[in-house]
Amino acid sequence: MEQALFSQAATLIVSAEESGAEFHAPSIWEFFPDAILFEGTPFAITRINLIQILATVVLVVLFLVGTRRMRLVPTRFQSVVEMGLDFVRVNIAHDLLGRKDGNRFLPILTTIFFMVLFMNITGIIPGLNIAGTSVIAVPLLLAVVAYVTFIYAGVKKSPGKFFKNSLMPSGVPWPLYIIIIPLEFLSTFIIRPVTLTLRLLMNMIVGHLMLVLFFAATQFFVFGLSGFWTLLGAGTLAFGFAFTLFEILVAFLQAYVFTILTAVYIQLAVAEEH
């Protein structure tokens, strides 16, 4: 098996050298593009920044148009908008926080869900081809918003007890608090925002690199080598399309997971024992 793979690799290298074709592998530097506007200033804007701005503008316009003239008998577009809003309200906010607290924090949860979804989905749109959440600024900003909201909810519910109850769970023998307090502080106030950030960021980075790898390989096999290698190009193209569909699912799931974890943290903060 190893001999066969080595032989195929050698044949591929020889064919590439003979044809003069060069395979351009995806690079992590794709997430650090050169500035397009205001280069050399603190306000430099890259291609990814423009994609983030575009996703935000499209999101705002869609919701303005969809909710501007609400009808008793909704149009198709109004129905789609209402369906999306109801999904966050019913399946996330009300299910986890109850109607009262769910309505209180619904604006933040709705903003997080649709902002993540729209910026994720740009990764599979032709001409854009990279997610707005594939650089750390957006995931980190949303994680900070979730973190501040969690702390606000806890302090608002129990001004004098929130931090004490978060760091000193009841029923634990006093000597163990020497170990428990640092662990709870690390878990609750450090790891939560870090994991929220990295989970979203890494999924979008890996998704982009995989898509670029598949389609770059297709271009290399079909246009660079041609001949027999076109069959491999057809295979990588098929995998590329399949992975594109998978990325659509990932875009939705990451938006859902980020939002539902934010709601879970808020729910823990407003629980009765706090």
Side-chain angles (χ1 to χ4, degrees), residues 1 26-27 72 92 94 97 112 139 147 149-150 153 192 212 240 251 268-269:
M1 183 66 177
S27 168
L72 186 60
I92 298 179
H94 288 176
L97 299 173
I112 288 176
Y147 178 76
T149 304
F150 154 71
R192 282 182 182 177
V212 173
L268 292 173

Side-chain angles (χ1 to χ4, degrees), residues 69-265:
R69 296 178 180 176
M70 305 290 284
R71 299 180 181 179
L72 186 60
V73 179
T75 62
R76 290 182 180 179
F77 185 66
Q78 181 183 327
S79 296
V80 171
V81 172
E82 289 179 351
M83 189 182 304
L85 294 173
D86 283 341
F87 175 80
V88 179
R89 180 171 64 247
V90 176
N91 294 287
I92 298 179
H94 288 176
D95 276 1
L96 288 172
L97 299 173
R99 187 172 295 274
K100 180 181 177 181
D101 286 325
N103 289 335
R104 282 177 60 206
F105 296 101
L106 183 60
I108 288 178
L109 296 176
T110 302
T111 301
I112 288 176
F113 178 82
F114 285 103
M115 186 174 176
V116 174
L117 177 61
F118 273 62
M119 289 201 181
N120 283 354
I121 212 70
T122 60
I124 54 93
I125 296 177
L128 302 181
N129 301 115
I130 195 166
T133 47
S134 60
V135 291
I136 197 169
V138 173
L140 181 59
L141 172 64
L142 294 175
V144 169
V145 170
Y147 178 76
V148 171
T149 304
F150 154 71
I151 294 177
Y152 164 80
V155 172
K156 183 76 173 178
K157 179 72 175 181
S158 306
K161 297 181 179 180
F162 169 67
F163 291 104
K164 176 179 178 294
N165 290 338
S166 296
L167 299 176
M168 303 173 66
S170 60
V172 177
W174 277 98
L176 292 181
Y177 281 129
I178 299 174
I179 301 173
I180 296 295
I181 290 176
L183 291 178
E184 288 294 329
F185 176 79
L186 184 66
S187 172
T188 303
F189 297 102
I190 304 297
I191 292 179
R192 282 182 182 177
V194 170
T195 53
L196 274 177
T197 302
L198 294 182
R199 182 186 294 107
L200 176 57
L201 177 67
M202 293 304 162
N203 272 279
M204 294 302 104
I205 288 178
V206 171
H208 174 77
L209 292 177
M210 290 296 294
L211 285 176
V212 173
L213 180 62
F214 283 130
F215 291 120
T218 300
Q219 182 182 27
F220 175 67
F221 287 131
V222 175
F223 300 103
L225 299 182
S226 66
F228 165 78
W229 299 105
T230 303
L231 295 176
L232 282 179
T236 56
L237 181 64
F239 276 111
F241 280 123
F243 201 80
T244 299
L245 297 177
F246 179 70
E247 277 298 287
I248 296 174
L249 176 63
V250 170
F252 175 82
L253 284 178
Q254 287 303 311
Y256 177 74
V257 168
F258 200 108
T259 309
I260 205 166
L261 284 176
T262 302
V264 167
Y265 297 153

